[in-house]
């Protein structure tokens, strides 16, 4: 899904554009005096040397490209690449990742499974003994089990979707490799959508005709020059821009810094006043959790009643405003969605809402929204209403105006470069009889309820009977909502196989665990800049495979061999031959775009990276400008070709939880629901500043955020005082679904009534014989609920739950989240 964020449009655009030359530094060192080298060196003056020194071995991660310093086979330090405008502390953890005490050292099998076969004592998962086996034995067990299930039950019995953030690298992409193996050996059950934007990507395709969330944004130089007001709506860019799906170019962080320097007015709408917002001197508006839809309706009503809306824009570029106006005025339900009405729901004063509406209308305004607001029940509504408000403002397609849903992610708005694009190893073709994918966040529901049918975006999906779960590159025990429900659901499959470098929570709950290398133990490549596609980074092997770990590629190749599909799996290529073919393909594209590159061997030996040029015209690209210029020639991908404020397609689905017009629908749990009497606090599960989800939780960066050696809970001063909680206290956070131990961080930077526990702490159950046992490390999904956002998108609601907290006075609980289990 995220592999290629460039929309067809922007990608086509930049391939057509301009013609200058490429990049690569220390060229005289790199290239022999061939014709290519001469051509390249002529272009030299355009480019600064990319690296200050050849100190280390060039590699990269989701959090940045860097040189690894290696001494006697051990990684001992790192140095960021010179091109990175905002290197962060996550890269410094690479040595700790490689040499972590909780690496998985050899293949292991759960004792009951090994002795009594698949499905034996599934209740012991997570606490059974482990038995070490040889690689040969492990490969045989896995292959035999795949063969058994394929022949007895067919491909729908194997859930190998394996959603997750794995590591960077286009060849050692464990998820693609898993899918490749499965497609070659009979097919498998996969998933649709993702955890990140499950609700927004579905509703946006109906409203603006593309997922929008992964599309290129109006570029940064244009925003910096033209935006007079930037509204960060549930958007925390200084945290979330640290990481990217590919290697980050961190251009977005430069962009925000430029806004701050220029003094552009910035408003943040968020229950939390994030440190990044302070760095931007942003004004803080703090709504109650989960009430953004009501707040946006109040703003829309103000625009309408004060005649600040752009009738001409709405007429020409949208459909359904007439119906929306009726609903704003309360013509059907008798409730006008005034600022006063909104205020009673969202807790922001009516006058503040009105002033915000006026300011947005009078200034060139860019609304930058994050995605936490749609990881909620009825999460389709906020983004739909943001587009509606932006349409009323009439600035969509103008310089520095409109909305952008990816400025906080992977540097959306980083201008597109011109060159070539690496495509990774492919998952191959799915066999014809492949089962219908299940919406990703319905995983636990699917495992527990074979045969159940759910609605999904106008279709129906029936869950098959899953017998095997295969995970490579994800951490579902941490990422899926309602951990205790998932634990229960995971009793159903007979076999769970996990590839992991470390003893993560998910690995601990498997039947067969295969130790794999980290990306620093193998050779690979990746693009730098998800949106700019500006760099090609080599990922050189820094250290040998640790312990008995092997590359996912080699593990799957050996399984493929036993299943009789080795040749189709490898296509006769080993690691370096694959990298060369990927590079050559990219090089041909670059040459066609007028950017010559050195041959693969020279590139590889240079221990250097490629920086493609960014054509001038790409620096001022404006999203929706072509649509605005001529909506008939450049229609949107919606049925009407326009922005659909009312969607007939959605209306026709007849879903009570997502009808044809956007609105405020009280969520499953919030401060206004009955459950709030027992559980008055609203949960916020923001993404962690010092991790990527659960990745790096087992490194010393933990010292920066852990409180009393647990995940922190950010709690308002008043809420803490009422419960006699002080900063540093060990706290139990709980509701009917589960309980976690967390460390208190008392602050006025969070709205009273809201508490934050970042997602991603490794699940560490105190006593697995109890269904709702305490998590000793503070994994927030023990508290969340597992229902779909609506029948439309079936997305996860991870950013929502009511709970209570109390000072923990129970017996001492040793945190064992990062320990190695018995027998392993
Ligand atoms: N409550 C709540 N829950 C959430 C969210 C939220 O906001 N709130 N956010 C959701 C979102 S947006 C997302 S994207 C998900 C993220 O969920 P995940 O993507 O599952 O999270 P990661 O921690 O990145 O898990 C990646 C795993 O892959 C492993 N890995 C890394 N490299 C390799 C490799 O080369 N080979 C193999 N075999 N394994 C490797 C890592 O060790 C790690 O365990 O969480 C979701 N869950
Ligand atoms: N450092 C770091 N960077 C990351 C990641 C990571 O784990 N760590 N994960 C990456 C991934 S996979 C993704 S999907 C993106 C996630 O990007 P986002 O989904 O945008 O990130 P979140 O932190 O979940 O939420 C962003 C903001 O929304 C606010 N918010 C939550 N609930 C509400 C609400 O009801 N109303 C309002 N107005 N605001 C609310 C939160 O307080 C937070 O400040 O980040 C990516 N970048
Ligand atoms: Mo995500």
């Amino acid at each position: 899904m995220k592999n290629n964020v460039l929309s067809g449009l922007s990608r086509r655009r930049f391939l057509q554009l301009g013609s200058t030359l490429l990049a690569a530094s220390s060229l005289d060192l790199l290239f022999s005096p061939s014709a290519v080298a001469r051509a390249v060196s002529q272009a030299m003056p355009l480019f600064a040397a990319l690296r200050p020194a050849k100190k280390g071995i060039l590699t990269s991660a989701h959090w940045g490209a860097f040189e690894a310093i290696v001494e006697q086979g051990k990684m001992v330090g790192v140095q960021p690449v010179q091109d990175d405008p905002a290197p962060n502390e996550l890269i410094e953890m690479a040595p700790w990742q490689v040499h972590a005490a909780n690496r998985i050292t050899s293949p292991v099998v759960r004792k009951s499974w090994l002795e009594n076969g698949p499905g034996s004592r599934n209740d012991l998962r997570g606490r059974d003994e482990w038995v070490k086996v040889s690689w040969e034995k492990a490969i045989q067990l896995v292959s035999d089990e795949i063969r058994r299930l394929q022949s007895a039950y067919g491909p729908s019995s194997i859930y190998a979707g394996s959603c997750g953030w794995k590591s960077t690298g286009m060849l050692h992409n464990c998820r693609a490799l898993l899918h490749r193996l499965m497609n070659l050996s009979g097919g498998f059950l996969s998933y649709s959508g993702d955890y990140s934007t499950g609700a927004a990507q579905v509703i946006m395709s109906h409203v603006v005709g593309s997922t929008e969330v992964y599309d290129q944004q109006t570029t940064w130089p244009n925003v910096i020059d033209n935006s007079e007001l930037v509204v960060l709506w549930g958007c925390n860019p200084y945290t979330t821009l640290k990481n990217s799906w590919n290697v980050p170019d961190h251009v977005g962080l430069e962009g925000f810094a430029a806004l701050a320097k220029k003094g552009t007015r910035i408003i943040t709408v968020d229950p939390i006043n994030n440190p990044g917002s302070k760095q931007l001197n942003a004004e803080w508006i703090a709504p109650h959790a989960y009430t953004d839809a009501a707040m946006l309706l109040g703003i829309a009503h103000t625009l309408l009643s004060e005649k600040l809306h752009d009738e001409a824009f709405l007429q020409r570029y949208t459909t359904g405003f007439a119906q929306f106006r009726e609903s704003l005025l309360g013509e059907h339900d008798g409730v006008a969605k005034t600022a006063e009405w909104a205020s009673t729901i969202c807790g922001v004063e009516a006058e503040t809402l009105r002033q915000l509406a006026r300011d947005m209308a009078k200034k060139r305004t860019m609304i930058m929204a994050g995605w936490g607001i749609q990881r909620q029940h009825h999460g389709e509504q906020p983004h739909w209403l943001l587009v509606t408000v932006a349409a009323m403002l009439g600035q969509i397609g103008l310089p520095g105006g409109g909305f952008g849903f990816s400025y906080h992610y992977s540097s959306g708005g980083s201008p597109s470069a011109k060159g070539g694009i690496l495509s990774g190893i492919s998952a191959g073709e799915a066999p014809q009889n492949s089962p219908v994918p299940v919406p990703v966040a319905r995983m636990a529901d699917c495992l527990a309820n074979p045969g159940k049918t759910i609605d999904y975006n106008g279709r129906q999906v029936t869950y098959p009977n899953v017998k095997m779960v295969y995970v490579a590159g994800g951490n579902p025990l941490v990422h899926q909502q309602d951990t205790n429900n998932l634990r229960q659901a995971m009793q159903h499959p007979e076999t769970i196989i996990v590839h992991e470098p470390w003893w993560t929570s998910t690995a601990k709950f498997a039947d067969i665990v295969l130790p794999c290398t980290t990306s620093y133990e193998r050779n690979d490549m990746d693009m730098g800049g998800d949106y700019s596609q500006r760099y090609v980074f080599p990922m050189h092997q820094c250290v040998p495979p640790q312990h008995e770990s092997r590359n996912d590629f080699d593990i799957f190749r050996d399984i493929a061999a036993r299943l009789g599909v080795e040749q189709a799996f490898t296509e006769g290529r080993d690691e370096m031959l694959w990298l060369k073919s990927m590079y050559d393909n990219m090089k041909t594209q670059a040459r066609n775009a007028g950017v010559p590159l050195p041959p693969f061997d020279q590139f590889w030996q240079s221990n250097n990276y490629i920086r493609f040029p960014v054509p001038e015209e790409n620096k001022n690209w404006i999203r929706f400008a072509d649509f605005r210029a001529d909506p008939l020639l450049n229609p949107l991908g919606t049925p009407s070709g326009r922005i659909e404020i009312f969607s007939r397609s959605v209306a026709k689905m007849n879903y009570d939880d997502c009808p044809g017009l956007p609105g405020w629908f009280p969520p499953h749990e919030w401060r206004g629901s009955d459950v709030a009497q027992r559980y008055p606090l609203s949960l916020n599960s923001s993404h962690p500043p010092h991790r990527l989800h659960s990745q790096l939780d087992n490194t010393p960066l933990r010292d920066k955020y852990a409180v009393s050696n647990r995940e922190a809970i950010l709690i308002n001063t008043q809420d803490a005082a009422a419960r006699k909680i002080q900063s540093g206290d060990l706290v139990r956070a709980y509701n009917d679904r589960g309980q976690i131990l967390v460390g208190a961080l008392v602050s006025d930077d969070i709205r009273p009534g809201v508490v934050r526990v970042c997602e991603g702490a490794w699940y560490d159950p105190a006593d697995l014989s109890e269904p709702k046992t305490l998590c000793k490390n503070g994994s927030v999904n023990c508290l969340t609920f597992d229902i779909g956002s609506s029948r439309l998108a079936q997305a996860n609601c991870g950013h929502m739950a009511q709970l209570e907290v109390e000072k923990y006075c129970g017996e001492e609980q040793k945190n064992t989240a990062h320990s190695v289990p018995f027998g392993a």
Side-chain angles (χ1 to χ4, degrees):
M1 194 100 239
K2 291 180 189 165
N3 298 16
N4 216 333
V5 292
L6 286 179
S7 68
L9 181 81
S10 48
R11 164 113 181 240
R12 264 201 319 279
R13 250 184 91 85
F14 93 76
L15 287 176
Q16 283 162 7
L17 292 169
S19 75
T20 13
L21 261 199
L22 90 150
S25 81
S26 313
L27 289 161
D28 35 6
L29 259 170
L30 288 183
F31 304 115
S32 61
S34 64
V36 174
R38 272 196 304 278
V40 169
S41 57
Q42 275 158 20
M44 260 297 278
L46 281 174
F47 305 99
L50 297 182
R51 294 170 51 227
K54 288 193 162 39
K55 260 196 171 171
I57 301 173
L58 192 56
T59 183
S60 72
H62 288 297
W63 32 91
F66 59 91
E67 293 178 43
I69 318 294
V70 175
E71 285 171 9
Q72 287 156 1
K74 281 201 113 185
M75 200 193 285
V76 294
V78 304
Q79 178 180 311
V81 293
Q82 192 184 294
D83 260 36
D84 191 338
N88 63 55
E89 74 287 0
L90 276 66
I91 59 170
E92 290 161 23
M93 293 302 111
W96 275 273
Q97 288 186 282
V98 172
H99 306 294
N102 64 346
R103 285 293 297 259
I104 301 168
T105 55
S106 80
V108 289
V109 183
R110 187 169 68 82
K111 193 159 183 263
S112 310
W113 193 99
L114 186 64
E115 290 178 352
N116 305 312
S120 302
R121 293 301 309 270
N122 292 349
D123 59 307
L124 290 184
R125 288 202 185 111
R127 56 193 160 123
D128 211 345
E129 237 177 87
W130 290 102
V131 181
K132 292 194 180 194
V133 298
S134 67
W135 267 111
E136 201 192 340
K137 174 83 177 168
I139 299 285
Q140 180 206 328
L141 289 172
V142 172
S143 324
D144 288 354
E145 184 62 354
I146 294 173
R147 194 183 290 114
R148 177 182 80 90
L149 294 173
Q150 285 287 7
S151 71
Y153 307 104
S156 67
S157 66
I158 301 180
Y159 183 68
S162 190
C163 179
W165 268 65
K166 57 182 187 63
S167 294
T168 51
M170 291 282 189
L171 169 60
H172 296 284
N173 174 347
C174 48
R175 188 181 54 167
L177 294 166
L178 170 62
H179 292 181
R180 187 177 173 89
L181 171 79
M182 289 295 170
N183 279 331
L184 289 170
S185 57
F188 67 103
L189 178 64
S190 194
Y191 63 83
S192 52
D194 60 37
Y195 283 90
S196 314
T197 64
Q201 62 177 258
V202 174
I203 192 63
M204 282 300 104
S205 64
H206 293 290
V207 176
V208 291
S210 81
T211 70
E212 198 53 37
V213 287
Y214 300 130
D215 286 317
Q216 178 62 301
Q217 313 287 290
T218 295
T219 51
W220 269 108
N222 189 281
V223 169
I224 295 162
D225 284 351
N226 298 293
S227 302
E228 296 168 313
L229 171 62
V230 168
V231 181
L232 294 176
W233 203 296
C235 186
N236 185 14
Y238 274 89
T239 287
T240 54
L241 284 174
K242 285 181 180 177
N243 292 295
S244 285
W245 181 251
N246 300 121
V247 184
D249 63 18
H250 288 147
V251 163
L253 288 166
E254 253 187 326
F256 280 106
L259 286 183
K261 189 161 169 229
K262 189 177 172 190
T264 302
R265 186 172 174 211
I266 300 179
I267 296 174
T268 173
V269 180
D270 200 307
I272 300 171
N273 195 13
N274 290 299
S277 306
K278 294 184 185 171
Q279 237 169 300
L280 291 166
N281 298 315
E283 299 156 40
W284 181 30
I285 297 179
H288 288 305
Y290 333 138
T291 60
D292 300 81
M295 185 170 166
L296 283 158
L297 288 168
I299 289 171
H301 188 279
T302 305
L303 293 174
L304 180 69
S305 60
E306 300 190 5
K307 298 198 168 45
L308 294 167
H309 63 301
D310 186 336
E311 280 281 3
F313 184 92
L314 291 165
Q315 274 259 313
R316 185 151 192 234
Y317 300 103
T318 72
T319 61
F321 185 68
Q323 287 104 308
F324 184 68
R325 178 203 302 260
E326 287 169 10
S327 116
L328 278 182
L329 298 176
E331 289 180 7
H332 304 297
D333 59 3
V335 182
K337 313 300 178 301
T338 60
E340 278 74 17
W341 168 85
S343 175
T344 59
I345 296 169
C346 72
V348 178
E349 283 188 22
E351 190 48 32
T352 307
L353 297 182
R354 276 193 293 262
Q355 194 55 46
L356 180 57
R358 290 173 200 139
D359 290 348
M360 290 200 290
K362 292 190 175 134
K363 296 284 179 207
R364 183 55 59 83
T365 301
M366 179 60 87
I367 305 173
M368 300 182 174
W371 302 335
I373 48 172
Q374 54 86 61
R375 232 172 276 121
Q376 298 182 352
H377 192 220
H378 302 136
E380 294 83 358
Q381 306 304 319
H383 279 75
W384 197 350
L385 284 163
L386 284 165
V387 173
T388 303
V389 164
M392 290 177 79
L393 295 171
Q395 301 179 16
I396 295 167
L398 292 180
F403 62 88
F405 296 159
S406 199
Y407 283 106
H408 69 295
Y409 175 76
S410 293
S411 290
S414 177
S416 307
K418 181 176 70 93
I421 296 176
L422 283 175
S423 39
I425 193 161
S426 96
E429 294 244 328
Q432 288 222 317
N433 60 342
S434 290
V436 179
V438 172
V440 70
R442 304 284 82 239
M443 172 194 178
D445 200 35
C446 168
L447 297 183
N449 301 291
K452 177 176 168 183
T453 297
I454 59 164
D455 288 309
Y456 176 46
N457 198 15
R459 287 168 284 140
Q460 294 204 311
V461 177
T462 300
Y463 299 146
N465 193 349
V466 172
K467 304 278 184 188
M468 175 195 275
V469 175
Y470 206 130
V471 177
N475 199 354
L477 248 295
V478 174
H479 75 216
Q480 172 67 27
Q481 289 58 57
D482 197 346
T483 312
N484 291 317
N485 177 60
L486 174 66
R487 253 177 62 199
Q488 199 59 39
M490 280 176 53
Q491 302 278 309
H492 185 82
E494 294 172 2
T495 300
I496 300 177
I497 303 173
V498 174
H499 292 201
E500 259 293 341
W502 300 280
W503 273 112
T504 60
S505 327
T506 301
K508 287 177 180 172
F509 274 81
D511 299 312
I512 302 178
V513 179
L514 305 181
C516 61
T517 52
T518 67
S519 52
Y520 316 123
E521 293 151 56
R522 58 204 186 203
N523 293 300
D524 214 328
M525 288 187 293
D526 211 323
M527 296 300 294
D530 297 35
Y531 291 85
S532 67
Q533 307 272 338
R534 198 172 174 202
Y535 298 95
V536 179
F537 287 108
M539 297 169 64
H540 291 281
Q541 182 181 354
C542 308
V543 293
Q546 302 293 294
H547 314 285
E548 285 184 43
S549 65
R550 303 183 64 201
N551 299 339
D552 294 287
F553 181 93
D554 299 315
I555 302 171
F556 287 127
R557 183 200 55 216
D558 285 2
I559 298 169
R562 284 194 73 100
L563 295 173
V565 292
E566 181 181 8
Q567 174 60 29
F569 184 84
T570 64
E571 294 177 36
R573 298 190 193 116
D574 64 6
E575 184 183 65
M576 288 318 285
L577 284 175
W578 270 105
L579 295 180
K580 181 175 183 321
S581 79
M582 282 159 48
Y583 181 92
D584 287 347
N585 186 305
M586 181 272 298
K587 181 167 166 266
T588 306
Q589 294 173 38
R591 192 184 56 221
N592 293 342
V595 183
L597 290 182
F600 175 71
D601 289 348
Q602 281 178 345
F603 163 71
W604 195 256
Q605 280 154 25
S606 75
N607 189 29
N608 210 332
Y609 53 90
I610 292 164
R611 176 174 59 192
F612 289 122
V614 177
E616 254 341 279
E617 53 272 51
N618 287 11
K619 293 182 184 163
N620 249 308
W621 188 79
I622 299 170
R623 181 141 195 87
F624 296 116
D626 50 354
F627 168 64
R628 187 174 185 115
D630 194 335
L632 292 177
L633 257 184
N634 306 304
L636 301 183
T638 53
S640 63
R642 302 180 184 189
I643 296 170
E644 303 215 342
I645 296 172
F646 170 79
S647 165
R648 196 177 303 278
S649 325
V650 173
K652 275 208 300 223
M653 296 175 197
N654 253 319
Y655 297 151
D656 51 353
D657 51 6
C658 190
L661 263 188
W664 158 251
F665 306 98
H668 183 62
E669 282 190 9
W670 69 301
R671 59 187 289 282
S673 50
D674 288 348
V675 73
Q677 306 199 335
R678 273 184 303 143
Y679 300 120
L681 300 172
S682 300
L683 177 69
N684 174 302
S685 63
S686 295
H687 286 228
H690 302 293
R691 286 193 302 259
L692 173 63
H693 314 297
S694 74
Q695 296 192 54
L696 306 174
D697 196 46
N698 57 333
T699 69
L701 260 190
R702 200 177 159 71
D703 299 341
K704 290 209 182 197
Y705 58 84
V707 176
S708 292
N709 191 26
R710 324 284 155 158
E711 193 65 23
I713 186 166
L714 188 69
I715 181 167
N716 179 272
T717 314
Q718 295 168 26
D719 293 325
R723 293 164 179 81
K724 301 198 167 43
I725 290 170
Q726 292 176 351
S727 277
D729 282 351
L730 208 50
V731 162
R732 190 177 76 101
Y734 62 98
N735 58 22
D736 286 344
R737 288 174 293 273
Q739 42 173 338
I740 60 178
L741 263 193
V742 279
L745 204 60
V746 178
S747 162
D748 288 326
D749 285 328
I750 184 162
R751 180 171 179 127
V754 184
V755 289
R756 185 197 66 198
V757 179
C758 287
E759 55 105 15
W762 292 17
Y763 175 57
D764 186 27
D767 178 358
L768 278 174
S769 62
E770 278 180 42
K772 289 174 188 174
T773 186
L774 185 71
C775 170
K776 299 179 290 176
N777 189 41
S779 186
V780 75
N781 278 317
C782 292
L783 303 176
T784 53
F785 54 83
D786 183 12
I787 63 172
S789 57
S790 79
R791 291 195 279 161
L792 184 87
Q794 294 289 1
N796 78 83
C797 306
H799 248 299
M800 177 176 268
Q802 291 299 120
L803 69 145
E804 182 53 290
V805 303
E806 65 182 17
K807 205 167 154 163
Y808 181 72
C809 303
E811 59 190 68
E812 197 184 321
Q813 299 285 350
K814 189 167 179 272
N815 189 337
T816 53
H818 309 113
S819 66
V820 174
F822 187 67

